[in-house]
Amino acid sequence: MASRSSPSGDDPMTEVVTSIRAARGGFQWVIEDWPGMPPAVNSPDVECAGHRWRLRIYPFGREEEFAGHVSLYLYYCGRDQGVSTSYAIRIVNQLAGKPDFVVSVLRKKSFGFIHTEDVVNNRGFPAFIPQARLNDESRGLKVSNRVIIRVELTVTADEPTHVLRTTTGARWTPSESLERDMLAALEGAQEGGSAALVVEGQRLACHREILSFRSPVFRAMFAHGTREASRNEITIPDVSLPVAKELLRFIYTDRCSEGAIESQGEQLLAVADKYQVERLRQLCEVELAGSLTIASAADRLALADLHTAEQLREECVEFVARNAEVLSTPGWARLSESGSNIGLVGEVLASACGKRSGEPMEDEDPDSAPGLTPSRVKRLRVSELRRELSSRGLDVGGAKHALQARLTGALAPKELQAA
């Protein structure tokens, strides 16, 4: 019998579709009084091509070595790592028919929040353009002391996206059953459960062993000698029935119902904090931080401060500092009128003043050494600390100081030597 060298219409066929995603954008910085510029100045942060960027310019050269030139750098201001980018920086010619001055970097460069051997947070040119060439107004690059700098960016995904499409004949594999089985156990607790939560007068049957395993607070409440242990029943006040059901669902399956965190994130954050269900609390922080609005920012800042949700708190402070409109909202009025929030209000206002003054970042040295060092660990936000710890397979729970200590203790010897 002859073998077939090519698949027939009845044989399984897998098609791989590969694409490379790219985002493009640009921004422009208009400087009206070039001679009055200080020795170094930052542009405002700008959202462009899906990320935040800014320019840093040294009108008289970054160092004595580059005197007689303008030094210009493009800074990545986001929190991602390995942002593959090609770019062009141009000084726009303001005289009709004359060319712009353009420097293009067509080979992709890797930007990121944390310096490594291959990734830095800025790239640029210490001798971008001779001052004499820029100051000659007959060339059109500076007219009436006005200079226009334009940046054009293309950000490309590091890895291509592959989509598999399989036709008939694909091999069958059994579906996962853990979540389904745990939900069945929760629903069956009405008959075989060993405990119950009482919420709004309704008993939610459950298993004390599972609650104790997943929550240190429930474990302590079920300890010997407590009223809850003797009755196998815990009353949960100040929590709505839907939120309590989602808490139980998460304890059993490690996930909430679809859309629950988006719609009930603030309430779930509070109950997760109360009963120390750490992963649920972190998921709520991420969701609430990612959906901040002018109207919600102040209330979520107060919520984060109340429940020591440090990642959400940092995101809220930064959001308010970037969006002065928040200071006119009812939520900000409630926050500022509360005597217990004086320190929090002061922190936000100080951050806002720093943003508007163009205050340079501490690590804005183009020649800074690569690597994650203990000093840089201290400057990481909670979200970066958790990401770094997760990438090393370490626990991401705890307060910020604990995360810093854990990450510093995990640094490789060569990273410590670089410090």
Side-chain angles (χ1 to χ4, degrees):
M1 179 182 293
S3 62
R4 291 176 295 179
S5 59
S6 61
S8 70
D10 295 330
D11 290 326
M13 172 67 71
T14 300
E15 179 182 58
V16 182
V17 180
T18 300
S19 60
I20 299 177
R21 294 177 290 108
R24 295 176 175 83
F27 65 93
Q28 186 166 283
W29 187 11
V30 180
I31 301 171
E32 296 286 1
D33 182 18
W34 180 263
M37 291 277 280
V41 63
N42 294 326
S43 75
D45 292 3
V46 177
E47 290 282 347
C48 183
H51 296 273
R52 287 170 54 205
W53 307 86
R54 71 164 170 260
L55 288 172
R56 181 167 175 82
I57 195 167
Y58 301 81
F60 314 108
R62 181 168 59 84
E63 298 172 356
E64 185 176 350
E65 176 184 357
F66 306 113
H69 287 82
V70 174
S71 302
L72 184 59
Y73 295 86
L74 174 66
Y75 273 77
Y76 174 71
C77 306
R79 303 295 176 177
D80 293 328
Q81 195 72 355
V83 179
S84 183
T85 308
S86 58
Y87 60 96
I89 303 177
R90 68 177 66 227
I91 299 180
V92 177
N93 203 303
Q94 300 171 63
L95 298 181
K98 292 201 171 186
D100 297 344
F101 177 84
V102 185
V103 176
S104 298
V105 180
L106 300 179
R107 184 179 178 183
K108 296 181 178 65
K109 303 296 183 180
S110 190
F111 289 84
F113 174 71
I114 300 172
H115 287 261
T116 67
E117 293 181 1
D118 302 317
V119 178
V120 297
N121 76 335
N122 69 86
R123 294 185 182 271
F125 310 94
F128 180 71
I129 185 173
Q131 293 177 18
R133 181 172 180 176
L134 178 64
N135 289 328
D136 182 357
E137 297 208 357
S138 66
R139 295 176 177 267
L141 300 177
K142 178 169 75 73
V143 174
S144 300
N145 292 329
R146 187 174 190 252
V147 174
I148 303 172
I149 303 172
R150 183 178 299 163
V151 180
E152 297 152 3
L153 297 158
T154 300
V155 177
T156 307
D158 283 340
E159 298 292 337
T161 300
H162 305 290
V163 178
L164 301 181
R165 300 173 182 170
T166 305
T167 61
T168 60
R171 178 179 296 175
W172 175 85
T173 57
S175 60
E176 296 179 357
S177 63
L178 179 60
E179 181 180 2
R180 183 178 67 245
D181 293 344
M182 293 300 292
L183 280 176
L186 179 58
E187 292 169 359
Q190 292 292 345
E191 298 179 358
S194 55
L197 302 182
V198 180
V199 183
E200 296 183 341
Q202 184 170 334
R203 294 181 84 259
L204 301 177
C206 51
H207 301 85
R208 63 180 288 173
E209 298 81 7
I210 294 177
L211 265 61
S212 298
F213 182 75
R214 296 279 281 162
S215 163
V217 176
F218 284 139
R219 183 162 59 250
M221 296 177 80
F222 281 127
H224 293 296
T226 64
R227 185 183 67 175
E228 290 82 5
S230 63
R231 300 176 58 183
N232 285 325
E233 188 176 278
I234 295 177
T235 299
I236 300 184
D238 305 323
V239 174
S240 69
L241 188 60
V243 170
K245 287 182 176 180
E246 289 298 335
L247 173 65
L248 272 179
R249 184 187 181 98
F250 189 90
I251 286 175
Y252 273 71
T253 67
D254 211 39
R255 67 177 66 191
C256 291
S257 303
E258 184 176 355
I261 294 181
E262 291 84 347
S263 61
Q264 301 173 329
E266 295 181 1
Q267 299 93 328
L268 285 169
L269 172 64
V271 73
D273 177 51
K274 181 176 181 179
Y275 295 102
Q276 295 181 26
V277 184
E278 186 62 23
R279 184 169 181 270
L280 176 57
R281 189 173 84 140
Q282 291 171 9
L283 289 171
C284 292
E285 285 191 71
V286 172
E287 170 58 33
L288 293 173
S291 58
L292 286 171
T293 64
I294 299 297
S296 68
D299 287 329
R300 289 186 181 178
L301 175 57
L303 178 76
D305 193 57
L306 177 63
H307 294 288
T308 321
E310 293 181 288
Q311 179 172 339
L312 176 59
R313 188 181 191 276
E314 287 181 345
E315 297 284 355
C316 288
V317 169
E318 184 172 320
F319 184 90
V320 177
R322 295 198 311 266
N323 298 276
E325 303 97 315
V326 175
L327 305 185
S328 301
T329 62
W332 181 261
R334 288 190 292 271
L335 183 70
S336 57
E337 289 169 2
S338 173
S340 60
N341 291 321
I342 294 176
L344 183 59
V345 171
E347 179 184 345
V348 172
L349 295 177
S351 178
C353 290
K355 292 266 182 196
R356 290 172 192 140
S357 67
E359 188 176 277
M361 301 283 285
E362 292 181 357
D363 59 348
E364 268 189 347
D365 180 4
D367 301 319
S368 59
L372 185 60
T373 63
S375 61
R376 286 182 179 141
V377 168
K378 292 179 181 178
R379 296 199 295 271
L380 293 182
R381 297 162 58 190
V382 174
S383 57
E384 282 96 45
L385 289 167
R386 286 176 172 166
R387 182 176 61 197
E388 288 296 320
L389 287 167
S390 179
S391 69
R392 289 167 163 80
L394 299 174
D395 180 24
V396 297
K400 185 174 184 178
H401 65 85
L403 301 179
Q404 291 172 333
R406 196 174 303 142
L407 181 54
T408 300
L411 293 180
K414 65 178 182 180
E415 293 174 301
L416 293 172
Q417 291 171 5

